[in-house]
């Protein structure tokens, strides 16, 4: 099996596969990210084409459509060489329309295609507690699903592509609005002079407590902005959800507010920080320093 894309999420995901005993070959644009995989026993490819040559199933955890197209050689003669007789598993987050078109091209070139985006951030990726949503041809999904067990504690079959990506966008809509609401509530308590630790304790004791609040609350308390899910990636997801909503004629009022706030967070220079850095944008509005959203 191959794995391409060893970023914040991809590297721990691939490490869990290797540690489970999976024979894995990996590639990443920045070669240094491959070294922990090499140390764990994975093969390291010099170029993406080597991953396809050595693998029957290739998992891709890449940032966007252009990165995927580049790795696959889409639009060139290399594309058919890379995907024919192989199963391509798209685990990142792109627009549903992009995935629909990619599936068509992969199948036309003699390959199989599965969407398998995951819900979770760096912590769940490290502990193998991600949630995967799968979509595609039934036989391909059935073959891929057990391969995800070392990375995902739950997997859900969503039907044909792009239903898995649509499901991921729906889940992310809830995540984005929930974390933004938690952050605004924390800011309110803080600026009202309340004991911030007691605020989080009250929240944790009540019905609003969740795995997300228990993960993000301490980060807010400590102003710990080390990325588990980077603000710039949240903004990208927000744009994808908003575009899908508009394409379907759907209103997304809460998402639109979050879109503006994460745009301001990135404009303030906090794109590489964790999504709780939306606190910076909320603070800037309170202090009369709201930047222009991009």
């Amino acid at each position: 099996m191959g794995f391409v894309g060893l970023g914040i999420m991809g590297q721990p995901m691939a490490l869990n596969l290797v540690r489970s005993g999976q024979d894995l070959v990996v590639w990443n644009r920045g070669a240094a990210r491959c070294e922990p995989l090499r140390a764990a026993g994975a093969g390291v490819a010099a170029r993406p084409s080597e991953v396809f040559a050595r693998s029957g199933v290739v998992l891709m955890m890449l940032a966007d459509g252009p990165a995927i197209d580049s790795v696959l050689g889409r639009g060139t003669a290399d594309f058919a060489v890379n995907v024919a007789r192989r199963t391509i598993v798209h685990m990142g987050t792109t627009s549903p329309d992009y995935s629909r078109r990619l599936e068509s091209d992969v199948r036309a070139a003699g390959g199989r295609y599965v969407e398998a985006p995951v819900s979770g951030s760096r912590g769940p990726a490290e502990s193998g507690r991600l949630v995967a949503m799968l979509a595609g041809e039934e036989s391909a999904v059935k073959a891929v699903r057990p391969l995800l067990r070392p990375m995902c504690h739950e997997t859900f079959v969503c039907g044909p592509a792009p239903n898995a990506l649509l499901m991921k966008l729906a889940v992310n809509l809830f995540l984005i609005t929930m974390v933004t609401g938690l952050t605004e509530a924390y800011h309110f308590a803080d600026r009202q002079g309340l004991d911030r630790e007691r605020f989080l304790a009250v929240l944790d004791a009540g019905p609003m407590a969740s795995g997300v609040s228990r993960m993000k609350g301490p980060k807010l308390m400590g102003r710990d902005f080390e990325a588990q899910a980077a603000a710039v990636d949240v903004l990208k997801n927000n744009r994808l959800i908003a575009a899908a909503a508009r394409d379907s004629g759907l209103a997304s009022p809460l998402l639109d507010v979050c879109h503006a706030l994460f745009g301001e967070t990135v404009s303030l220079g906090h794109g590489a920080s964790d999504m709780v850095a939306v606190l910076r944008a909320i603070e800037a509005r309170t202090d009369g320093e709201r930047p222009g959203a991009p």
Side-chain angles (χ1 to χ4, degrees):
M1 192 157 66
F3 199 108
V4 176
L6 303 173
I8 289 176
M9 297 286 288
Q11 189 188 72
M13 291 166 67
L15 280 168
N16 282 332
L17 286 171
V18 174
R19 290 165 180 162
S20 75
Q22 176 66 51
D23 184 13
L24 195 70
V25 57
V26 303
W27 180 84
N28 189 70
R29 191 174 303 278
R33 299 286 296 179
C34 297
E35 291 312 308
L37 274 298
R38 190 194 305 274
V44 176
R47 58 191 63 83
S49 59
E50 184 182 341
V51 176
F52 295 103
R54 294 170 59 180
S55 310
V57 176
V58 178
L59 311 182
M60 299 187 301
M61 192 63 179
L62 295 166
D64 53 29
I68 295 168
D69 291 346
S70 175
V71 164
L72 291 173
R74 196 170 175 207
T76 74
D78 292 335
F79 180 73
V81 175
N82 287 335
V83 306
R85 299 178 302 281
R86 294 175 183 85
T87 300
I88 305 302
V89 184
H90 171 23
M91 301 194 75
T93 307
T94 62
S95 75
D97 183 62
Y98 170 83
S99 182
R100 185 185 293 110
R101 289 182 281 110
L102 179 59
E103 178 187 41
S104 177
D105 288 353
V106 169
R107 294 181 69 173
R112 301 206 295 174
Y113 179 82
V114 174
E115 286 180 348
V118 293
S119 180
S121 57
R122 187 183 65 193
E126 290 172 345
S127 61
R129 300 289 294 175
L130 296 169
V131 175
M133 294 142 278
L134 292 90
E137 185 183 0
E138 187 175 351
S139 62
V141 168
K142 185 176 181 180
V144 166
R145 192 177 189 184
L147 301 178
L148 306 185
R149 285 178 188 146
M151 302 179 290
C152 306
H153 77 109
E154 292 277 5
T155 57
F156 294 88
V157 177
C158 300
N163 280 6
L165 272 165
L166 286 168
M167 186 71 76
K168 171 68 184 295
L169 296 183
V171 169
N172 276 6
L173 195 162
F174 181 49
L175 173 65
I176 291 167
T177 55
M178 179 168 55
V179 171
T180 305
L182 170 66
T183 303
E184 184 174 335
Y186 177 86
H187 174 70
F188 177 86
D190 182 31
R191 292 299 179 97
Q192 292 290 350
L194 300 178
D195 184 299
R196 294 168 295 170
E197 189 172 353
R198 185 169 293 120
F199 162 72
L200 293 177
V202 171
L203 178 65
D204 196 49
M208 290 83 71
S210 69
V212 170
S213 68
R214 289 169 180 149
M215 181 186 300
K216 298 302 186 184
K219 288 180 74 67
L220 287 165
M221 181 76 183
R223 296 185 76 85
D224 170 16
F225 299 121
E226 182 182 1
Q228 293 174 324
V232 69
D233 294 328
V234 174
L235 179 60
K236 182 197 84 167
N237 275 265
N238 207 314
R239 288 171 174 156
L240 290 172
I241 303 164
R246 300 297 173 268
D247 288 346
S248 301
L250 302 176
S252 56
L254 292 179
L255 181 74
D256 296 343
V257 171
C258 295
H259 195 168
L261 284 167
F262 277 96
E264 291 165 28
T265 304
V266 173
S267 289
L268 286 165
H270 305 299
S273 298
D274 189 74
M275 65 187 300
V276 296
V278 72
L279 177 66
R280 305 279 200 177
I282 296 170
E283 289 174 337
R285 287 195 183 194
T286 290
D287 298 334
E289 302 169 0
R290 178 182 178 181

